[in-house]
Amino acid sequence: MTEQPRLADQNAAVALPEPFIRWFGEKGWSPRAHQIELLARAQAGQSVLLIAPTGAGKTLAGFLPSLTELAVRPRRKPGQAHRGIHTLYISPLKALAVDIERNLGKPVEEIGLPISIETRTGDTPSHKRQRQKLVPPDILLTTPEQLALLIAAPDAKRFFEDLRYVVLDELHSLVTSKRGHLLALGLARLRNYVPGLQTIGLSATVAEPDELRRWLVSQNPAGEMAGLITVAGGAKPDISILDSEEHVPWAGHSARYATPEIYREIKRHKTTLLFVNTRSQAELLFQELWRVNEDTLPIALHHGSLDVAQRRRVEKAMGENVLRAVVATSTLDLGIDWGDVDLVVHVGAPKGASRLAQRIGRANHRMDEPSKAILIPANRFEVLECRAALDANYLGAQDTPPLVDGGLDVLAQHVLGCACGAPFRAADLFEEVRTAAPYASLDRPTFDRVIDFVATGGYALKNYERYARIRLNKDGLWRVANPRVAQQYRLNVGTIIEVPALNVRYVQAGSKGSASRGGRVLGKIEEAFLETLTHGDTFMFAGKILRFEGIRENECFVSNAPGSDAKVPYYGGGKFPLSTYLAEQVRIMLDDPQRWKKLPEQVADWLRVQADKSVLPKRNDLLIETFPRGNRYYLVAYPFEGRLAHQTLGMLLTRRLDRTGARPLGFVATDYALAIWSLGDMGAMFRARKPSLAALFDQDMLGDDLEAWLADSWLLKRTFRNCALISGLIEKRHPGQEKSGRQVTVSTDLIYDVLRSHEPDHILLQATRADAGAGLLDVSRLADMLSRIQGRIMHKNLEQISPLAVPIMLEIGKMPVNGDADETLLLDAATLVEEAMGPGPSEAGNE
Amino acid sequence: MNFSLARASLIGEADLVGISGERAICDPRGVLYFPKLELLAVSDLHLEKGSSLARRGALIPPYDTGATLLRLQAVISDYQPAVVISLGDSFHDGGGAERMHSSFRERLVALMAGRDWFWVAGNHDPEAPADLPGETVRELAIGSLLFRHEPSKVRVEGEISGHLHPCARIVQRGRSVRRRCFAGDGGRMIMPAFGAYTGSLNVLDRAYAGLFRLETLMAYMLGSDRIFAISRSMLRPG
């Protein structure tokens, strides 16, 4: 698949204009083979995917075709019209666009090229945006949302008519989200304006390069793809698993036991990047490190909830090499250039081999030197996962989530955007949309329903004709009904839905925030977490222990609470499920005692005792253990399919067990296992085949049981809210006012209830179900698992808990049990009142 | 079947809430029923809110009127009240009654037949609804009770109002539960909003300041099939 890059010096003279050769010479460099190769392919008219590790000169490679072409382009004569954009660069992060402007500006200046490079992001002032429309730069660096906005402008066609190249950075991370769907639709539109448009995708290593190669070009029956250039990874990274002298915990995610050992490594290295999986882990690790930081080393914290100014300060300090360590979450995953990081520490399991590779790439940005990394498993299962990840990395294995069909909510947004730009014919837009990879299999009836939705809501009850947002005119063209529609569209563009969050602001202790003006803002915290706090509660945020003082409007007031007892913030986002590939690697390792030798002794010992007391699952089997404990019976299954799929499985199994009379009480799911507890003796039931395990785990649970459970699930309401916002049913922003998250949540829940009972087949509910199935529920993964384990279920009926079951049993009680427990909580509260107030509530009345 | 009798017999004295000497059932579906007066009060129906928002570009499902009427139909058929008072904001805007789909209008008229029906004027619908029977009033006094849309600033014993869409929130075992509620202190009562698309405002919000005697304030939170009476000390803002 990989084409062998030709030797650089053979081609340099052919493809590179003279000033470039001179510049390389002055620097004492020579262009790299893949840079020349990409240039040659682009000059031959091909779109190209470049897969290369960090530090391989990817950015320069991506821009060389544009720079060389612009270098020899005749200058615009005075009086000639301004030319449109020549090259569009799109990245997932604003910060990355800004970074590129700096990195690209340097060679352009040194070579002396007459090329203008500008960014356009949400932060660009409006006068600059207007000027960019009149006098477009040659190279525009921007984000998917800004592209959507540019397309929705009436002058879009003229603005883009000179476009030659679109450079898509970090493509692997863009394509897997709804942003990727919106971007794909935008690209289809651009190709419509400029049929010869070429794309250049820049990506880290991925499992299926062909998916990205197809994504980069217009979908065609011949199945043509973009060309592929692969740069082999540099020096192999030097990765080890911390072989702790401490006791590795059975469960939990804090890795607190390893703090002194981590600190020792920080002291040994110049600059250490510490990655964790969630923001709460970041807060905790940061606190723990400062607790042992006897030398007061400059150690900083960086995550997505922190105030932007604070994040920028950390990034700047990092660039200036004044920090010794930074604790970070995925906000630092993508390719922003850092200073001289010489060690990456990954705390907690990496959850996916690709993510690990990318994070390790942050160390030592020169590709010929090995990156150094240490993995710190937080518990015993994570030891197994880290070992598997490590082996996978050496094998060069990669996993990225499979690409899913484009969301219909995103399509609805795009259709309205197109109408805002120019009138369209439905048949033409349908053909155009189908050239975008995520929508290649879209059918015409569905597309027409989306148009109908955009126009009048698409309801069976035709009530809203007079309020239509777009109308079909006699000439067969759809047009926006009035200018206000376009104005509202522009304020609501994009697919990133933020969880409702409140600013966290410092005040004086005990002030409740009423009179005080308040101090600085530390960042944002999800409303759902803050709702569980009472005045005086303490929690960790922004590297501090804070006391909750109260909420006023959209701000949460806090004061300093030095001391060690703190609740850790819970964050909804930032938890990745275990990847399919890695899960399989873990199962293979469990099945092969030879490989346990590479594990720390205490972990290997744990597995040996398991083999002795119960059994270890074979690589393709599903192990089910049942045992009594206390006055309950437990079922523990080990599918290793990730928390989301296990949660869905738990919901469905408890429904079924309830029907068979096992009287299940609850369940808990981790990335590795699922535990259900009940009043009935499940072990005895399975042995009597009432029901049999095969029947219990039959694939038909994904039919009616799933439907019935989903209908009332809060998961679906949450997903519906996102679809409603993205599709434009509900506005994120209205001119002059920002709706608070609460108001939106309440109303979409109500809308969901009403729509579901009156028009269950509505297109937005269809989009919601598709989303939930792919995302929150991981239904497809569950389906694969159920089909894999048919006839391969191994049941062990035990007298007591097995060693393998200990970690998940420790989770019981830590997590709230899902399900509709709200009424029980209300009853608790009401009972307390009755106890306190005497009999009937009416007595409280003053009659 | 006369459900009202069956239901009334199920209701113990303890389930009745006192308001200025009268006793009423706080129904978990969000209506107030006075058995002695055979009077049913419902507040903030906000009919045609969907089409009202659609006029301004948000094309939310046009089924709210149908959903609200269906629920109203259910409580009316259970209690068979002689008198119904709709406590204001019955329509989301002045044009709502006119916009209402003819099938909905017919259902509403059928519900009204055979009983005294009062439309209390609200801030959203200050005028009488177009082409509908029933009497439109500013406020209505019956016995020791006074029905009006907005709670008066000056304390009036026996006042029953709506307008504020009360809800309450509790936190138990680290989890938060928010529900619509009746809010009462024994002397006055504010009813929850009944409409399918109506939002709600916490009873601890500043908008309620001065309305209740705090020491006897109770939130009667709506459960799926019962009311949960929660005293003020258990309530949380937000």
Side-chain angles (χ1 to χ4, degrees):
Chain A
M1 199 53 64
T2 307
E3 274 102 328
Q4 194 59 45
R6 284 166 283 175
L7 280 177
D9 45 1
Q10 288 177 354
N11 279 280
V14 182
L16 270 186
E18 200 275 328
F20 288 78
I21 298 174
R22 199 172 52 219
W23 178 74
F24 273 109
E26 281 167 8
K27 291 273 171 187
W29 298 340
S30 57
R32 291 187 172 154
H34 64 269
Q35 293 172 333
I36 295 303
E37 172 71 11
L38 196 154
L39 180 58
R41 300 260 199 118
Q43 285 178 345
Q46 206 182 19
S47 289
V48 189
L49 172 66
L50 171 62
I51 292 181
T54 319
K58 230 180 337 189
T59 309
L60 186 59
F63 281 103
L64 260 189
S66 309
L67 297 180
T68 50
E69 197 170 299
L70 285 166
V72 298
R73 188 173 72 169
R75 285 181 182 249
R76 182 178 73 92
K77 295 195 182 75
Q80 250 177 359
H82 286 284
R83 283 186 282 229
I85 303 286
H86 177 276
T87 296
L88 192 63
Y89 164 90
I90 293 168
S91 92
L93 295 176
K94 276 190 269 189
L96 199 49
V98 174
D99 213 38
I100 295 287
E101 185 180 23
R102 210 173 33 236
N103 292 347
L104 199 58
K106 208 169 165 210
V108 164
E109 192 187 326
E110 287 171 357
I111 302 172
L113 299 172
I115 297 175
S116 55
I117 304 170
E118 290 179 12
T119 56
R120 185 185 179 96
T121 70
D123 301 336
T124 307
S126 65
H127 68 267
K128 188 173 171 191
R129 291 171 190 233
Q130 277 166 17
R131 203 259 304 134
Q132 283 176 339
K133 285 289 187 70
L134 297 172
V135 188
D138 299 314
I139 298 177
L140 185 68
L141 314 167
T142 188
T143 59
E145 289 71 29
Q146 293 298 318
L147 173 60
L149 278 174
L150 287 167
I151 281 171
D155 55 359
K157 195 169 173 150
R158 194 187 52 75
F159 189 71
F160 287 116
E161 68 189 356
D162 296 321
L163 191 65
R164 287 276 297 114
Y165 293 108
V166 180
V167 180
L168 301 137
D169 205 351
E170 304 280 351
L171 186 61
H172 59 285
S173 99
L174 273 174
V175 293
T176 53
S177 65
K178 286 192 178 181
R179 293 180 89 192
H181 302 163
L182 188 65
L183 179 57
L185 291 167
L187 267 184
R189 182 107 276 221
L190 292 178
R191 276 195 214 96
N192 187 331
Y193 298 151
V194 189
L197 187 67
Q198 286 170 252
T199 52
I200 296 169
L202 310 178
S203 169
T205 321
V206 289
E208 304 284 345
D210 285 1
E211 286 188 339
L212 296 193
R213 296 173 68 191
R214 270 191 290 273
W215 195 96
L216 281 170
V217 299
S218 176
Q219 302 307 293
N220 52 77
E224 277 170 38
M225 304 186 284
L228 176 66
I229 299 173
T230 306
V231 180
K236 258 185 192 169
D238 162 20
I239 312 173
S240 56
I241 299 175
L242 178 74
D243 191 1
S244 179
E245 286 154 20
E246 307 293 324
H247 171 79
V248 179
W250 292 95
H253 300 280
S254 72
R256 196 181 295 194
Y257 74 94
T259 314
E261 287 160 315
I262 296 173
Y263 184 66
R264 207 156 60 220
E265 292 299 332
I266 293 174
K267 275 167 74 173
R268 275 188 203 148
H269 291 84
K270 282 203 297 267
T271 309
T272 304
L273 262 184
L274 299 118
F275 281 111
V276 295
N277 287 326
T278 68
R279 283 170 275 179
S280 56
Q281 279 175 301
E283 293 279 353
L284 192 67
L285 177 61
F286 180 75
Q287 283 287 335
E288 292 291 319
L289 282 173
W290 271 95
R291 212 187 290 273
V292 299
N293 192 358
E294 293 157 356
D295 310 271
T296 55
L297 301 178
I299 298 176
L301 177 66
H302 190 288
H303 64 67
S305 292
L306 294 178
D307 189 53
V308 181
Q310 192 170 339
R311 272 185 278 160
R312 293 292 108 73
R313 272 196 298 279
V314 173
E315 286 160 18
K316 189 158 171 281
M318 199 67 191
E320 290 162 358
N321 284 318
V322 295
L323 294 178
R324 290 294 296 278
V326 178
V327 180
T329 60
S330 55
T331 42
L332 286 190
D333 270 3
L334 296 168
I336 296 174
D337 231 331
W338 293 100
D340 294 331
V341 174
D342 57 348
L343 176 67
V344 170
V345 172
H346 197 286
V347 180
K351 300 298 169 198
S354 301
R355 182 171 297 113
L356 178 68
Q358 176 129 20
R359 288 178 164 184
I360 288 172
R362 297 272 70 78
N364 228 336
H365 248 193
R366 288 172 292 274
M367 64 182 283
D368 0 324
E369 295 169 29
S371 314
K372 190 171 170 198
I374 302 175
L375 308 182
I376 318 278
N379 58 51
R380 294 177 171 213
F381 270 117
E382 288 196 350
V383 173
L384 304 179
E385 194 184 322
C386 284
R387 187 73 244 170
L390 207 155
D391 293 349
N393 201 53
Y394 277 124
L395 295 168
Q398 294 295 334
D399 44 21
T400 31
L403 299 190
V404 296
D405 282 347
L408 296 178
D409 50 347
V410 180
L411 180 59
Q413 185 182 113
H414 178 70
V415 166
L416 186 56
C418 287
C420 293
F424 68 84
R425 202 173 296 281
D428 297 345
L429 187 58
F430 174 63
E431 288 309 324
E432 178 188 310
V433 162
R434 294 224 308 169
T435 66
Y439 296 92
S441 56
L442 182 75
D443 59 66
R444 182 66 195 264
T446 307
F447 178 76
D448 286 340
R449 284 178 69 199
V450 170
I451 294 218
D452 197 25
F453 168 81
V454 173
T456 61
Y459 303 108
L461 182 69
K462 296 284 171 205
N463 234 11
Y464 291 166
E465 299 297 340
R466 64 199 137 149
Y467 312 129
R469 288 184 294 193
I470 58 172
R471 285 184 206 285
L472 184 59
N473 292 68
K474 287 207 182 67
D475 56 7
L477 293 171
W478 287 89
R479 285 184 170 80
V480 282
N482 60 60
R484 211 183 48 198
V485 172
Q487 191 195 351
Q488 286 181 3
Y489 171 82
R490 280 182 204 114
L491 285 169
N492 287 285
V493 83
T495 61
I496 301 170
I497 307 292
E498 292 187 4
V499 181
L502 304 183
N503 277 336
V504 179
R505 189 185 287 282
Y506 253 143
V507 292
Q508 291 282 314
S511 75
K512 278 198 164 182
S514 48
S516 74
R517 261 181 247 114
R520 67 193 176 93
V521 171
L522 298 173
K524 275 178 181 281
I525 296 193
E526 279 81 348
E527 193 176 24
F529 169 71
L530 294 174
E531 281 194 343
T532 63
L533 298 181
T534 324
H535 177 246
D537 277 353
T538 55
F539 62 100
M540 258 181 225
F541 186 72
K544 299 174 171 55
I545 295 180
L546 302 170
R547 187 194 323 278
F548 178 73
E549 299 286 352
I551 291 176
R552 186 158 149 210
E553 275 141 30
N554 63 344
E555 299 212 315
C556 157
F557 292 106
V558 297
S559 61
N560 241 334
S564 57
D565 187 30
K567 279 187 170 185
V568 180
Y570 165 76
Y571 284 109
K575 272 201 170 179
F576 312 100
L578 181 68
S579 82
T580 313
Y581 179 83
L582 213 43
E584 194 188 355
Q585 296 302 311
V586 173
R587 285 199 307 268
I588 293 173
M589 188 181 337
L590 282 179
D591 191 20
D592 182 2
Q594 284 304 314
R595 289 183 61 188
W596 303 353
K597 288 175 190 152
K598 282 163 100 180
L599 296 169
E601 191 45 40
Q602 48 179 324
V603 175
D605 206 45
W606 171 52
L607 297 181
R608 279 192 287 269
V609 178
Q610 167 70 18
D612 188 39
K613 303 226 167 184
S614 174
V615 68
L616 283 158
K618 297 260 167 260
R619 69 177 282 187
N620 285 318
D621 290 0
L622 174 66
L623 170 63
I624 311 269
E625 292 175 337
T626 48
F627 51 86
R629 191 177 153 74
N631 48 5
R632 301 208 169 139
Y633 293 90
Y634 290 84
L635 175 160
V636 179
Y638 305 91
F640 295 95
E641 292 293 347
R643 193 174 37 87
L644 296 177
H646 292 170
Q647 239 166 33
T648 306
L649 181 63
M651 291 284 186
L652 299 175
L653 286 181
T654 42
R655 284 180 83 93
R656 297 196 140 193
L657 286 166
D658 198 39
R659 277 205 300 272
T660 56
R663 285 172 293 159
L665 297 169
F667 73 90
V668 64
T670 67
D671 261 349
Y672 316 101
L674 164 72
I676 300 177
W677 55 98
S678 68
L679 292 171
D681 183 349
M682 292 182 281
M685 292 171 72
F686 300 148
R687 274 203 303 193
R689 303 180 60 78
K690 283 179 186 170
S692 70
L693 276 170
L696 187 67
F697 282 83
D698 194 284
Q699 293 177 77
D700 65 8
M701 76 168 80
L702 296 176
D704 293 350
D705 277 331
L706 182 63
E707 275 300 306
W709 167 60
L710 264 185
D712 276 323
S713 165
W714 61 270
L715 289 170
L716 225 59
K717 287 188 178 171
R718 178 65 49 84
T719 311
F720 178 77
R721 173 173 178 265
N722 291 352
C723 288
L725 285 163
I726 291 172
S727 68
L729 180 72
I730 300 289
E731 291 175 344
K732 275 189 279 190
R733 297 166 66 194
H734 207 280
Q737 71 173 80
E738 190 107 10
K739 282 197 170 186
S740 89
R742 164 86 41 75
Q743 281 163 310
V744 175
T745 308
V746 169
S747 53
T748 52
D749 282 3
L750 296 173
I751 290 168
Y752 173 81
D753 286 339
V754 167
L755 189 56
R756 187 168 69 84
S757 56
H758 287 80
E759 198 174 338
D761 296 328
H762 189 262
I763 187 130
L764 211 54
L765 292 178
Q766 192 180 318
T768 303
R769 281 189 289 264
D771 253 25
L776 291 165
L777 306 174
D778 228 347
V779 171
S780 63
R781 197 158 160 196
L782 182 55
D784 289 349
M785 191 273 284
L786 290 176
S787 114
R788 171 171 62 82
I789 59 155
Q790 282 205 330
R792 315 191 64 114
I793 299 178
M794 192 196 305
H795 179 208
K796 268 279 173 187
N797 197 26
L798 303 171
E799 297 290 317
Q800 60 180 42
I801 179 172
S802 76
L804 210 55
V806 171
I808 191 158
M809 293 291 285
L810 288 172
E811 295 288 333
I812 294 173
K814 275 197 212 158
M815 295 188 200
V817 176
N818 284 297
D820 194 19
D822 287 3
E823 298 270 324
T824 324
L825 297 179
L826 276 171
L827 192 59
D828 276 6
T831 314
L832 280 176
V833 173
E834 274 164 37
E835 276 173 27
M837 309 285 291
S842 62
E843 299 303 311
N846 183 15
E847 295 175 36
Chain B
M1 186 175 69
N2 190 339
F3 191 88
S4 66
L5 287 181
R7 190 168 179 96
S9 66
L10 284 175
I11 295 163
E13 270 298 291
D15 290 330
L16 292 170
V17 174
I19 308 159
S20 190
E22 290 290 345
R23 287 180 162 258
I25 299 164
C26 291
D27 188 289
R29 290 167 291 187
V31 298
L32 202 55
Y33 183 66
F34 295 85
K36 267 197 285 181
L37 301 171
E38 290 185 68
L39 184 154
L40 185 125
V42 60
S43 190
D44 295 272
L45 296 172
H46 285 267
L47 297 170
E48 292 299 309
K49 181 169 178 176
S51 62
S52 184
L53 295 181
R55 286 194 307 176
R56 288 185 275 145
L59 302 171
I60 62 178
Y63 302 116
D64 56 320
T65 300
T68 305
L69 287 179
L70 214 59
R71 286 167 53 229
L72 189 59
Q73 206 166 358
V75 289
I76 286 182
S77 99
D78 281 358
Y79 290 110
Q80 294 295 340
V83 184
V84 174
I85 300 175
S86 176
L87 267 183
D89 288 359
S90 307
F91 288 88
H92 192 68
D93 62 64
E98 227 167 322
R99 281 200 311 275
M100 187 161 54
H101 196 272
S102 59
S103 64
F104 296 149
R105 175 190 311 279
E106 282 157 26
R107 265 162 62 190
L108 179 54
V109 171
L111 273 184
M112 299 173 74
R115 34 194 134 249
D116 293 331
W117 193 286
F118 295 96
W119 300 109
V120 175
N123 51 314
H124 282 258
D125 56 350
E127 307 297 327
D131 293 331
L132 280 173
E135 192 178 332
T136 300
V137 294
R138 300 286 317 157
E139 51 182 47
L140 189 67
I142 297 178
S144 60
L145 302 174
L146 177 70
F147 294 89
R148 63 197 313 268
H149 178 61
E150 285 188 44
S152 25
K153 291 274 178 279
V154 186
R155 194 177 168 81
V156 180
E157 289 297 310
E159 181 188 271
I160 294 169
S161 56
H163 182 61
L164 289 171
H165 301 203
C167 73
R169 190 168 79 84
I170 58 150
V171 174
Q172 286 281 296
R173 296 186 224 145
R175 286 186 59 190
S176 164
V177 181
R178 179 187 288 103
R179 291 290 168 82
R180 298 183 198 197
C181 70
F182 297 88
D185 62 3
R188 79 185 329 173
M189 169 78 84
I190 302 180
M191 293 187 63
F194 190 82
Y197 282 164
T198 49
S200 51
L201 184 67
N202 195 304
V203 286
L204 301 185
D205 191 90
R206 277 176 291 182
Y208 298 84
L211 292 179
F212 292 111
R213 278 190 293 266
L214 296 181
E215 59 277 18
T216 54
L217 174 61
M218 297 285 282
Y220 302 94
M221 296 173 72
L222 309 189
S224 58
D225 55 9
R226 63 162 283 190
I227 288 281
F228 297 93
I230 311 288
S231 72
R232 181 175 164 272
S233 61
M234 302 284 298
L235 301 178
R236 298 288 183 84

